[in-house]
Amino acid sequence: MTIKEKIVTSISYLLHSEKRELINFAGKLKSKVGLEIGGPSHSFSIRSYFPVYLFAKRIDGVNFSNSTIWEGNIAEGENFNYYKGKRGFQYIAEATDLSKIENNKYDFLLSCHSLEHTANTLKALGEWNRVLKNNGYLILVLPDKNFTFDEYRPVTAFEHLKADFDNNTDEADETHFDEVISLHNIEKDAGVKTKDELIKRTRANYENRCVHHHVFDFELIKRMLHYAGFSIEIQQWVSPFNLVTVAKKNN
């Protein structure tokens, strides 16, 4: 960490009491190696509430395609440029299939606003657990529906997540498309301006992965992480619409 980054982080810590627990936890990841699903994300950068990028020794990345709406064109290899002067290995893989990665490889795993785009939540969490070392950490950020375009949708039932897992639901799943189209608050979505645009984008989800298959709250997050073999350490709401959870892999 540079002197400038230390100063900025220290000032942020002093001025924003709501950031202190997460900044302290980020410091515990000093010299650790992690994996990020769907990144990079500003939420883990300097001036954020959770500046993991400043402390970690190295972070590799996973994205589902060589071309995404969020990252543009990317290639597998030493191309995960997650922070200035820092680079890790970029995997091209589904969040639910990390078979390219061996068991117990990473000290921590990051996921910011990506799990909601995955059709089979528990399958993804099972893979994330597998690639973590014993007592490794999962840092999970999901959207609070009350402040996003999902505000009119119900929180997904855990039983639905379990059924998706049991049925080995894949990313071509369209189960929630009608609900998304009928209950989506377009006024809070910068990506579409009309319902016709929303319908077109939703129907092409396998290519663009814009759909939020599931809607979460802290209680559902606790239940699904417990099922997937994690213990909750921190849960904190962070402005403007972030449900932040830190969980430890059980031995």
Side-chain angles (χ1 to χ4, degrees):
M1 188 187 299
T2 66
I3 293 175
K4 178 183 176 181
E5 289 166 344
K6 288 180 180 178
I7 292 172
V8 170
T9 303
S10 297
I11 292 173
S12 181
Y13 184 91
L14 291 171
L15 294 181
H16 301 281
S17 60
E18 72 278 6
K19 293 184 179 183
R20 291 174 189 169
E21 185 174 24
L22 296 178
I23 291 175
N24 282 335
F25 186 87
K28 295 180 181 180
L29 301 178
K30 185 177 181 179
S31 302
K32 302 294 186 181
V33 177
L35 180 70
E36 181 168 7
I37 309 295
S41 168
H42 292 300
S43 294
F44 303 126
S45 190
I46 193 170
R47 294 188 176 88
S48 72
Y49 54 87
F50 214 156
V52 176
Y53 293 161
L54 303 187
F55 294 94
K57 179 180 180 180
R58 173 188 170 100
I59 299 174
D60 296 333
V62 175
N63 281 290
F64 74 93
S65 173
N66 292 102
S67 179
T68 78
I69 290 174
W70 301 277
E71 290 81 31
N73 295 322
I74 54 177
E76 187 160 284
E78 293 288 334
N79 303 306
F80 186 62
N81 300 305
Y82 60 94
Y83 188 66
K84 56 185 178 181
K86 295 188 175 185
R87 176 183 296 179
F89 190 90
Q90 174 71 70
Y91 293 96
I92 305 299
E94 294 285 3
T96 54
D97 181 7
L98 304 183
S99 54
K100 296 178 180 180
I101 303 173
E102 60 266 33
N103 295 349
N104 309 309
K105 180 173 182 177
Y106 291 102
D107 299 302
F108 65 92
L109 187 146
L110 307 173
S111 172
C112 182
H113 293 276
S114 62
L115 187 59
E116 68 270 24
H117 297 278
T118 302
N120 197 329
T121 302
L122 295 179
K123 184 176 182 180
L125 291 174
E127 276 291 86
W128 301 0
N129 183 300
R130 180 184 64 78
V131 302
L132 280 171
K133 296 177 181 178
N134 287 340
N135 294 316
Y137 288 100
L138 169 61
I139 298 167
L140 178 65
V141 184
L142 288 163
D144 182 341
K145 80 181 193 79
N146 296 304
F147 301 92
T148 73
F149 49 68
D150 286 327
E151 64 178 325
Y152 302 127
R153 295 178 64 191
V155 173
T156 304
F158 175 80
E159 290 72 19
H160 181 88
L161 301 184
K162 183 63 166 56
D164 282 337
F165 180 72
D166 292 340
N167 295 327
N168 199 27
T169 297
D170 63 21
E171 295 308 316
D173 184 59
E174 300 183 0
T175 300
H176 299 279
F177 284 11
D178 288 344
E179 178 183 294
V180 167
I181 291 167
S182 64
L183 298 180
H184 196 86
N185 186 348
I186 293 176
E187 293 181 359
K188 291 188 176 182
D189 187 344
V192 292
K193 295 180 180 179
T194 67
K195 190 166 186 176
D196 285 343
E197 288 181 4
L198 173 64
I199 292 171
K200 182 178 179 180
R201 186 183 71 182
T202 301
R203 297 301 179 197
N205 183 66
Y206 188 76
E207 288 75 36
N208 61 49
R209 306 299 173 90
C210 288
V211 164
H212 288 184
H213 288 275
H214 306 296
V215 180
F216 302 88
D217 63 10
F218 276 137
E219 288 305 312
L220 177 61
I221 293 167
K222 286 179 183 178
R223 190 170 180 188
M224 70 192 195
L225 289 179
H226 177 76
Y227 180 87
F230 293 94
S231 298
I232 303 295
E233 299 234 329
I234 300 171
Q235 284 199 309
Q236 181 177 331
W237 186 90
V238 176
S239 179
F241 46 66
N242 301 292
L243 301 174
V244 181
T245 300
V246 177
K248 179 186 283 189
K249 175 179 175 176
N250 298 328
N251 289 333

Short mmCIF file of all heavy atoms in Angstrom, two decimals, residues 78-131:
data_model
loop_
_atom_site.label_atom_id
_atom_site.label_comp_id
_atom_site.label_asym_id
_atom_site.label_seq_id
_atom_site.Cartn_x
_atom_site.Cartn_y
_atom_site.Cartn_z
N GLU A 78 -3.16 -13.96 -17.52
CA GLU A 78 -2.75 -12.97 -16.52
C GLU A 78 -3.28 -11.59 -16.90
O GLU A 78 -2.52 -10.65 -17.14
CB GLU A 78 -1.22 -12.96 -16.40
CG GLU A 78 -0.63 -14.23 -15.82
CD GLU A 78 -0.91 -14.38 -14.34
OE1 GLU A 78 -1.10 -13.34 -13.66
OE2 GLU A 78 -0.92 -15.52 -13.84
N ASN A 79 -4.61 -11.49 -16.92
CA ASN A 79 -5.27 -10.29 -17.45
C ASN A 79 -6.31 -9.70 -16.51
O ASN A 79 -7.10 -8.84 -16.93
CB ASN A 79 -5.96 -10.62 -18.78
CG ASN A 79 -5.01 -11.17 -19.81
OD1 ASN A 79 -3.99 -10.56 -20.11
ND2 ASN A 79 -5.32 -12.34 -20.36
N PHE A 80 -6.34 -10.14 -15.26
CA PHE A 80 -7.32 -9.59 -14.33
C PHE A 80 -6.72 -8.36 -13.66
O PHE A 80 -6.07 -8.44 -12.63
CB PHE A 80 -7.72 -10.64 -13.29
CG PHE A 80 -8.85 -10.19 -12.39
CD1 PHE A 80 -10.10 -9.89 -12.91
CD2 PHE A 80 -8.67 -10.07 -11.02
CE1 PHE A 80 -11.14 -9.46 -12.09
CE2 PHE A 80 -9.70 -9.66 -10.18
CZ PHE A 80 -10.94 -9.35 -10.73
N ASN A 81 -6.94 -7.21 -14.28
CA ASN A 81 -6.38 -5.95 -13.80
C ASN A 81 -7.36 -5.32 -12.82
O ASN A 81 -8.17 -4.47 -13.18
CB ASN A 81 -6.11 -5.02 -14.99
CG ASN A 81 -5.14 -5.63 -15.97
OD1 ASN A 81 -4.04 -6.01 -15.61
ND2 ASN A 81 -5.57 -5.74 -17.22
N TYR A 82 -7.28 -5.74 -11.56
CA TYR A 82 -8.29 -5.35 -10.59
C TYR A 82 -8.00 -4.04 -9.89
O TYR A 82 -8.90 -3.43 -9.30
CB TYR A 82 -8.49 -6.47 -9.57
CG TYR A 82 -7.28 -6.85 -8.76
CD1 TYR A 82 -7.04 -6.27 -7.52
CD2 TYR A 82 -6.38 -7.81 -9.22
CE1 TYR A 82 -5.94 -6.63 -6.76
CE2 TYR A 82 -5.28 -8.17 -8.46
CZ TYR A 82 -5.06 -7.59 -7.24
OH TYR A 82 -3.96 -7.94 -6.50
N TYR A 83 -6.74 -3.58 -9.94
CA TYR A 83 -6.38 -2.32 -9.30
C TYR A 83 -5.07 -1.85 -9.91
O TYR A 83 -4.29 -2.66 -10.42
CB TYR A 83 -6.25 -2.51 -7.79
CG TYR A 83 -6.08 -1.23 -7.01
CD1 TYR A 83 -7.10 -0.29 -6.95
CD2 TYR A 83 -4.89 -0.95 -6.34
CE1 TYR A 83 -6.94 0.89 -6.25
CE2 TYR A 83 -4.73 0.22 -5.63
CZ TYR A 83 -5.75 1.14 -5.59
OH TYR A 83 -5.59 2.32 -4.89
N LYS A 84 -4.82 -0.58 -9.90
CA LYS A 84 -3.63 -0.03 -10.55
C LYS A 84 -2.36 -0.71 -10.01
O LYS A 84 -2.11 -0.77 -8.82
CB LYS A 84 -3.54 1.48 -10.34
CG LYS A 84 -3.57 1.94 -8.90
CD LYS A 84 -3.61 3.45 -8.81
CE LYS A 84 -3.68 3.92 -7.35
NZ LYS A 84 -3.75 5.40 -7.26
N GLY A 85 -1.60 -1.25 -10.94
CA GLY A 85 -0.36 -1.93 -10.59
C GLY A 85 -0.54 -3.33 -10.06
O GLY A 85 0.45 -3.98 -9.69
N LYS A 86 -1.79 -3.83 -10.00
CA LYS A 86 -2.06 -5.17 -9.48
C LYS A 86 -2.81 -5.99 -10.51
O LYS A 86 -3.79 -5.53 -11.08
CB LYS A 86 -2.86 -5.09 -8.17
CG LYS A 86 -2.10 -4.44 -7.02
CD LYS A 86 -2.85 -4.56 -5.71
CE LYS A 86 -2.04 -4.03 -4.55
NZ LYS A 86 -2.70 -4.25 -3.25
N ARG A 87 -2.34 -7.21 -10.70
CA ARG A 87 -2.94 -8.07 -11.73
C ARG A 87 -2.96 -9.51 -11.25
O ARG A 87 -2.03 -9.98 -10.59
CB ARG A 87 -2.12 -7.97 -13.02
CG ARG A 87 -2.57 -8.89 -14.14
CD ARG A 87 -1.67 -8.78 -15.35
NE ARG A 87 -1.72 -7.45 -15.93
CZ ARG A 87 -1.01 -7.08 -16.99
NH1 ARG A 87 -0.20 -7.94 -17.58
NH2 ARG A 87 -1.13 -5.86 -17.47
N GLY A 88 -4.04 -10.21 -11.58
CA GLY A 88 -4.15 -11.63 -11.28
C GLY A 88 -4.53 -12.41 -12.52
O GLY A 88 -4.59 -11.86 -13.62
N PHE A 89 -4.81 -13.68 -12.33
CA PHE A 89 -5.19 -14.55 -13.46
C PHE A 89 -6.69 -14.42 -13.71
O PHE A 89 -7.49 -14.50 -12.78
CB PHE A 89 -4.85 -16.00 -13.15
CG PHE A 89 -4.99 -16.91 -14.34
CD1 PHE A 89 -3.91 -17.12 -15.18
CD2 PHE A 89 -6.19 -17.55 -14.62
CE1 PHE A 89 -4.04 -17.96 -16.29
CE2 PHE A 89 -6.32 -18.37 -15.72
CZ PHE A 89 -5.25 -18.58 -16.56
N GLN A 90 -7.05 -14.21 -14.97
CA GLN A 90 -8.45 -14.13 -15.37
C GLN A 90 -8.92 -15.50 -15.86
O GLN A 90 -8.41 -16.01 -16.86
CB GLN A 90 -8.64 -13.09 -16.47
CG GLN A 90 -10.04 -13.03 -17.05
CD GLN A 90 -11.02 -12.44 -16.08
OE1 GLN A 90 -10.98 -11.26 -15.78
NE2 GLN A 90 -11.92 -13.27 -15.57
N TYR A 91 -9.89 -16.08 -15.15
CA TYR A 91 -10.53 -17.31 -15.61
C TYR A 91 -11.79 -16.95 -16.38
O TYR A 91 -12.52 -16.02 -16.01
CB TYR A 91 -10.93 -18.20 -14.43
CG TYR A 91 -9.79 -18.77 -13.64
CD1 TYR A 91 -9.36 -18.15 -12.48
CD2 TYR A 91 -9.16 -19.95 -14.05
CE1 TYR A 91 -8.31 -18.69 -11.73
CE2 TYR A 91 -8.11 -20.49 -13.31
CZ TYR A 91 -7.70 -19.85 -12.16
OH TYR A 91 -6.66 -20.38 -11.43
N ILE A 92 -12.08 -17.68 -17.43
CA ILE A 92 -13.36 -17.59 -18.12
C ILE A 92 -14.13 -18.85 -17.75
O ILE A 92 -13.81 -19.96 -18.19
CB ILE A 92 -13.20 -17.49 -19.65
CG1 ILE A 92 -12.30 -16.32 -20.02
CG2 ILE A 92 -14.58 -17.37 -20.31
CD1 ILE A 92 -12.83 -14.95 -19.58
N ALA A 93 -15.13 -18.67 -16.87
CA ALA A 93 -15.86 -19.83 -16.34
C ALA A 93 -17.15 -19.35 -15.70
O ALA A 93 -17.28 -18.19 -15.29
CB ALA A 93 -15.01 -20.56 -15.30
N GLU A 94 -18.11 -20.26 -15.60
CA GLU A 94 -19.34 -19.96 -14.89
C GLU A 94 -19.07 -19.93 -13.39
O GLU A 94 -18.22 -20.68 -12.87
CB GLU A 94 -20.40 -21.02 -15.19
CG GLU A 94 -20.89 -21.06 -16.63
CD GLU A 94 -21.83 -19.91 -16.97
OE1 GLU A 94 -22.06 -19.05 -16.11
OE2 GLU A 94 -22.31 -19.89 -18.13
N ALA A 95 -19.82 -19.10 -12.68
CA ALA A 95 -19.69 -19.04 -11.23
C ALA A 95 -20.05 -20.36 -10.58
O ALA A 95 -19.62 -20.66 -9.46
CB ALA A 95 -20.59 -17.93 -10.68
N THR A 96 -20.84 -21.18 -11.27
CA THR A 96 -21.27 -22.48 -10.75
C THR A 96 -20.35 -23.63 -11.15
O THR A 96 -20.58 -24.77 -10.76
CB THR A 96 -22.68 -22.81 -11.26
OG1 THR A 96 -22.69 -22.71 -12.70
CG2 THR A 96 -23.71 -21.85 -10.68
N ASP A 97 -19.31 -23.34 -11.93
CA ASP A 97 -18.41 -24.39 -12.39
C ASP A 97 -16.98 -23.86 -12.40
O ASP A 97 -16.51 -23.30 -13.40
CB ASP A 97 -18.80 -24.88 -13.78
CG ASP A 97 -17.90 -26.00 -14.30
OD1 ASP A 97 -17.03 -26.47 -13.52
OD2 ASP A 97 -18.04 -26.38 -15.47
N LEU A 98 -16.29 -24.02 -11.29
CA LEU A 98 -14.90 -23.57 -11.18
C LEU A 98 -13.95 -24.76 -11.27
O LEU A 98 -12.94 -24.83 -10.57
CB LEU A 98 -14.70 -22.83 -9.85
CG LEU A 98 -15.62 -21.64 -9.59
CD1 LEU A 98 -15.26 -20.97 -8.27
CD2 LEU A 98 -15.57 -20.63 -10.72
N SER A 99 -14.28 -25.71 -12.14
CA SER A 99 -13.51 -26.95 -12.25
C SER A 99 -12.07 -26.71 -12.71
O SER A 99 -11.21 -27.59 -12.55
CB SER A 99 -14.21 -27.93 -13.20
OG SER A 99 -14.47 -27.34 -14.45
N LYS A 100 -11.80 -25.54 -13.25
CA LYS A 100 -10.43 -25.19 -13.63
C LYS A 100 -9.55 -24.92 -12.40
O LYS A 100 -8.33 -24.84 -12.52
CB LYS A 100 -10.42 -23.94 -14.52
CG LYS A 100 -11.11 -24.11 -15.85
CD LYS A 100 -11.09 -22.80 -16.63
CE LYS A 100 -11.79 -22.94 -17.98
NZ LYS A 100 -11.77 -21.67 -18.75
N ILE A 101 -10.18 -24.77 -11.24
CA ILE A 101 -9.47 -24.38 -10.03
C ILE A 101 -9.49 -25.55 -9.04
O ILE A 101 -10.54 -26.15 -8.79
CB ILE A 101 -10.12 -23.13 -9.40
CG1 ILE A 101 -10.15 -21.98 -10.41
CG2 ILE A 101 -9.40 -22.73 -8.12
CD1 ILE A 101 -10.93 -20.77 -9.94
N GLU A 102 -8.35 -25.84 -8.45
CA GLU A 102 -8.24 -26.94 -7.51
C GLU A 102 -8.90 -26.61 -6.17
O GLU A 102 -9.15 -25.46 -5.85
CB GLU A 102 -6.78 -27.33 -7.28
CG GLU A 102 -5.91 -26.24 -6.71
CD GLU A 102 -5.17 -25.44 -7.76
OE1 GLU A 102 -5.71 -25.26 -8.87
OE2 GLU A 102 -4.04 -24.99 -7.46
N ASN A 103 -9.14 -27.64 -5.39
CA ASN A 103 -9.72 -27.48 -4.06
C ASN A 103 -8.80 -26.68 -3.15
O ASN A 103 -7.57 -26.75 -3.27
CB ASN A 103 -9.95 -28.85 -3.41
CG ASN A 103 -10.98 -29.69 -4.15
OD1 ASN A 103 -11.68 -29.22 -5.04
ND2 ASN A 103 -11.06 -30.96 -3.79
N ASN A 104 -9.41 -25.94 -2.23
CA ASN A 104 -8.68 -25.31 -1.12
C ASN A 104 -7.53 -24.41 -1.58
O ASN A 104 -6.47 -24.37 -0.95
CB ASN A 104 -8.12 -26.39 -0.17
CG ASN A 104 -9.17 -27.39 0.26
OD1 ASN A 104 -10.25 -27.02 0.71
ND2 ASN A 104 -8.86 -28.67 0.09
N LYS A 105 -7.75 -23.64 -2.64
CA LYS A 105 -6.66 -22.84 -3.20
C LYS A 105 -6.57 -21.44 -2.60
O LYS A 105 -5.47 -20.90 -2.40
CB LYS A 105 -6.83 -22.72 -4.72
CG LYS A 105 -5.72 -21.90 -5.38
CD LYS A 105 -5.80 -21.92 -6.89
CE LYS A 105 -4.65 -21.13 -7.50
NZ LYS A 105 -4.64 -21.19 -8.98
N TYR A 106 -7.72 -20.81 -2.30
CA TYR A 106 -7.73 -19.38 -1.98
C TYR A 106 -8.01 -19.10 -0.50
O TYR A 106 -8.75 -19.83 0.16
CB TYR A 106 -8.76 -18.67 -2.84
CG TYR A 106 -8.37 -18.62 -4.30
CD1 TYR A 106 -8.92 -19.49 -5.23
CD2 TYR A 106 -7.41 -17.71 -4.75
CE1 TYR A 106 -8.55 -19.46 -6.56
CE2 TYR A 106 -7.02 -17.66 -6.08
CZ TYR A 106 -7.60 -18.55 -6.97
OH TYR A 106 -7.22 -18.51 -8.29
N ASP A 107 -7.41 -18.01 -0.03
CA ASP A 107 -7.64 -17.55 1.34
C ASP A 107 -8.99 -16.87 1.50
O ASP A 107 -9.57 -16.89 2.58
CB ASP A 107 -6.54 -16.56 1.76
CG ASP A 107 -5.16 -17.18 1.73
OD1 ASP A 107 -4.96 -18.19 2.44
OD2 ASP A 107 -4.28 -16.65 1.01
N PHE A 108 -9.46 -16.22 0.44
CA PHE A 108 -10.75 -15.54 0.49
C PHE A 108 -11.35 -15.46 -0.90
O PHE A 108 -10.65 -15.64 -1.91
CB PHE A 108 -10.61 -14.13 1.09
CG PHE A 108 -9.78 -13.17 0.28
CD1 PHE A 108 -10.37 -12.35 -0.67
CD2 PHE A 108 -8.41 -13.08 0.48
CE1 PHE A 108 -9.62 -11.45 -1.42
CE2 PHE A 108 -7.64 -12.18 -0.26
CZ PHE A 108 -8.24 -11.37 -1.22
N LEU A 109 -12.66 -15.24 -0.94
CA LEU A 109 -13.37 -15.11 -2.20
C LEU A 109 -14.28 -13.89 -2.13
O LEU A 109 -14.98 -13.69 -1.13
CB LEU A 109 -14.17 -16.36 -2.52
CG LEU A 109 -14.84 -16.43 -3.89
CD1 LEU A 109 -14.85 -17.87 -4.43
CD2 LEU A 109 -16.27 -15.89 -3.86
N LEU A 110 -14.27 -13.07 -3.17
CA LEU A 110 -15.08 -11.86 -3.26
C LEU A 110 -16.19 -12.04 -4.29
O LEU A 110 -15.97 -12.61 -5.36
CB LEU A 110 -14.24 -10.65 -3.70
CG LEU A 110 -12.96 -10.34 -2.93
CD1 LEU A 110 -12.20 -9.22 -3.65
CD2 LEU A 110 -13.28 -9.92 -1.51
N SER A 111 -17.37 -11.53 -3.97
CA SER A 111 -18.46 -11.49 -4.94
C SER A 111 -19.30 -10.26 -4.65
O SER A 111 -19.93 -10.16 -3.60
CB SER A 111 -19.33 -12.75 -4.83
OG SER A 111 -20.49 -12.62 -5.65
N CYS A 112 -19.29 -9.32 -5.58
CA CYS A 112 -20.05 -8.08 -5.40
C CYS A 112 -21.06 -7.93 -6.53
O CYS A 112 -20.69 -7.79 -7.69
CB CYS A 112 -19.10 -6.88 -5.38
SG CYS A 112 -19.94 -5.29 -5.10
N HIS A 113 -22.34 -8.01 -6.18
CA HIS A 113 -23.43 -7.85 -7.15
C HIS A 113 -23.25 -8.79 -8.34
O HIS A 113 -23.39 -8.38 -9.50
CB HIS A 113 -23.56 -6.40 -7.58
CG HIS A 113 -24.02 -5.50 -6.47
ND1 HIS A 113 -25.34 -5.33 -6.14
CD2 HIS A 113 -23.32 -4.75 -5.59
CE1 HIS A 113 -25.44 -4.51 -5.11
NE2 HIS A 113 -24.22 -4.14 -4.74
N SER A 114 -22.93 -10.04 -8.04
CA SER A 114 -22.83 -11.05 -9.09
C SER A 114 -23.70 -12.27 -8.81
O SER A 114 -24.26 -12.84 -9.75
CB SER A 114 -21.37 -11.49 -9.26
OG SER A 114 -20.86 -12.09 -8.09
N LEU A 115 -23.84 -12.67 -7.55
CA LEU A 115 -24.59 -13.90 -7.25
C LEU A 115 -26.05 -13.80 -7.67
O LEU A 115 -26.65 -14.80 -8.06
CB LEU A 115 -24.49 -14.23 -5.76
CG LEU A 115 -25.08 -15.57 -5.32
CD1 LEU A 115 -24.38 -16.73 -6.03
CD2 LEU A 115 -24.97 -15.74 -3.81
N GLU A 116 -26.63 -12.60 -7.61
CA GLU A 116 -28.03 -12.45 -8.03
C GLU A 116 -28.21 -12.72 -9.52
O GLU A 116 -29.33 -12.97 -9.99
CB GLU A 116 -28.55 -11.06 -7.67
CG GLU A 116 -27.93 -9.91 -8.44
CD GLU A 116 -26.70 -9.35 -7.77
OE1 GLU A 116 -26.04 -10.08 -6.98
OE2 GLU A 116 -26.35 -8.18 -8.05
N HIS A 117 -27.14 -12.65 -10.29
CA HIS A 117 -27.19 -12.93 -11.73
C HIS A 117 -27.00 -14.41 -12.04
O HIS A 117 -26.97 -14.80 -13.21
CB HIS A 117 -26.11 -12.12 -12.45
CG HIS A 117 -26.28 -10.63 -12.34
ND1 HIS A 117 -27.13 -9.92 -13.16
CD2 HIS A 117 -25.72 -9.74 -11.51
CE1 HIS A 117 -27.08 -8.63 -12.83
NE2 HIS A 117 -26.24 -8.50 -11.82
N THR A 118 -26.86 -15.23 -11.00
CA THR A 118 -26.62 -16.66 -11.17
C THR A 118 -27.89 -17.44 -10.87
O THR A 118 -28.52 -17.25 -9.83
CB THR A 118 -25.50 -17.12 -10.22
OG1 THR A 118 -24.31 -16.36 -10.50
CG2 THR A 118 -25.20 -18.59 -10.39
N ALA A 119 -28.28 -18.32 -11.77
CA ALA A 119 -29.55 -19.02 -11.63
C ALA A 119 -29.54 -20.04 -10.48
O ALA A 119 -30.55 -20.22 -9.81
CB ALA A 119 -29.91 -19.73 -12.94
N ASN A 120 -28.41 -20.70 -10.26
CA ASN A 120 -28.33 -21.76 -9.26
C ASN A 120 -27.43 -21.29 -8.11
O ASN A 120 -26.24 -21.59 -8.05
CB ASN A 120 -27.78 -23.04 -9.90
CG ASN A 120 -28.04 -24.26 -9.05
OD1 ASN A 120 -28.08 -24.19 -7.83
ND2 ASN A 120 -28.20 -25.41 -9.71
N THR A 121 -28.04 -20.59 -7.17
CA THR A 121 -27.31 -19.95 -6.08
C THR A 121 -26.52 -20.94 -5.24
O THR A 121 -25.34 -20.74 -4.95
CB THR A 121 -28.30 -19.19 -5.17
OG1 THR A 121 -29.01 -18.23 -5.95
CG2 THR A 121 -27.58 -18.50 -4.04
N LEU A 122 -27.16 -22.02 -4.81
CA LEU A 122 -26.50 -22.96 -3.91
C LEU A 122 -25.40 -23.75 -4.62
O LEU A 122 -24.39 -24.10 -3.99
CB LEU A 122 -27.53 -23.92 -3.30
CG LEU A 122 -28.57 -23.26 -2.38
CD1 LEU A 122 -29.55 -24.31 -1.86
CD2 LEU A 122 -27.91 -22.52 -1.23
N LYS A 123 -25.55 -24.00 -5.89
CA LYS A 123 -24.49 -24.66 -6.64
C LYS A 123 -23.26 -23.75 -6.71
O LYS A 123 -22.13 -24.21 -6.53
CB LYS A 123 -24.96 -25.02 -8.05
CG LYS A 123 -23.92 -25.80 -8.85
CD LYS A 123 -24.46 -26.22 -10.20
CE LYS A 123 -23.44 -27.04 -10.97
NZ LYS A 123 -23.94 -27.45 -12.31
N ALA A 124 -23.49 -22.46 -6.95
CA ALA A 124 -22.38 -21.51 -6.98
C ALA A 124 -21.68 -21.47 -5.62
O ALA A 124 -20.44 -21.54 -5.54
CB ALA A 124 -22.88 -20.12 -7.36
N LEU A 125 -22.45 -21.36 -4.55
CA LEU A 125 -21.85 -21.29 -3.22
C LEU A 125 -21.08 -22.56 -2.88
O LEU A 125 -20.04 -22.50 -2.20
CB LEU A 125 -22.93 -21.04 -2.17
CG LEU A 125 -23.58 -19.65 -2.20
CD1 LEU A 125 -24.74 -19.59 -1.20
CD2 LEU A 125 -22.55 -18.56 -1.89
N GLY A 126 -21.55 -23.70 -3.36
CA GLY A 126 -20.82 -24.94 -3.14
C GLY A 126 -19.46 -24.93 -3.81
O GLY A 126 -18.46 -25.39 -3.24
N GLU A 127 -19.40 -24.42 -5.03
CA GLU A 127 -18.13 -24.30 -5.73
C GLU A 127 -17.20 -23.30 -5.04
O GLU A 127 -15.99 -23.52 -4.93
CB GLU A 127 -18.37 -23.87 -7.18
CG GLU A 127 -18.70 -24.99 -8.13
CD GLU A 127 -17.50 -25.89 -8.36
OE1 GLU A 127 -17.31 -26.82 -7.55
OE2 GLU A 127 -16.74 -25.67 -9.32
N TRP A 128 -17.78 -22.20 -4.57
CA TRP A 128 -16.96 -21.19 -3.90
C TRP A 128 -16.38 -21.75 -2.61
O TRP A 128 -15.22 -21.48 -2.27
CB TRP A 128 -17.79 -19.94 -3.63
CG TRP A 128 -18.36 -19.31 -4.88
CD1 TRP A 128 -18.20 -19.75 -6.17
CD2 TRP A 128 -19.19 -18.15 -4.96
NE1 TRP A 128 -18.88 -18.92 -7.04
CE2 TRP A 128 -19.49 -17.95 -6.34
CE3 TRP A 128 -19.72 -17.28 -4.01
CZ2 TRP A 128 -20.29 -16.89 -6.77
CZ3 TRP A 128 -20.52 -16.23 -4.44
CH2 TRP A 128 -20.80 -16.03 -5.81
N ASN A 129 -17.18 -22.53 -1.91
CA ASN A 129 -16.69 -23.18 -0.69
C ASN A 129 -15.54 -24.13 -1.03
O ASN A 129 -14.52 -24.17 -0.33
CB ASN A 129 -17.84 -23.93 -0.03
CG ASN A 129 -17.46 -24.59 1.28
OD1 ASN A 129 -16.58 -25.43 1.33
ND2 ASN A 129 -18.15 -24.20 2.35
N ARG A 130 -15.69 -24.86 -2.10
CA ARG A 130 -14.68 -25.87 -2.48
C ARG A 130 -13.31 -25.26 -2.74
O ARG A 130 -12.28 -25.83 -2.34
CB ARG A 130 -15.15 -26.63 -3.72
CG ARG A 130 -14.17 -27.71 -4.20
CD ARG A 130 -14.64 -28.37 -5.48
NE ARG A 130 -14.70 -27.44 -6.61
CZ ARG A 130 -13.63 -27.03 -7.30
NH1 ARG A 130 -12.41 -27.43 -6.98
NH2 ARG A 130 -13.77 -26.20 -8.33
N VAL A 131 -13.26 -24.12 -3.41
CA VAL A 131 -11.97 -23.53 -3.78
C VAL A 131 -11.34 -22.73 -2.64
O VAL A 131 -10.18 -22.29 -2.75
CB VAL A 131 -12.07 -22.66 -5.05
CG1 VAL A 131 -12.61 -23.49 -6.21
CG2 VAL A 131 -12.92 -21.41 -4.82
#
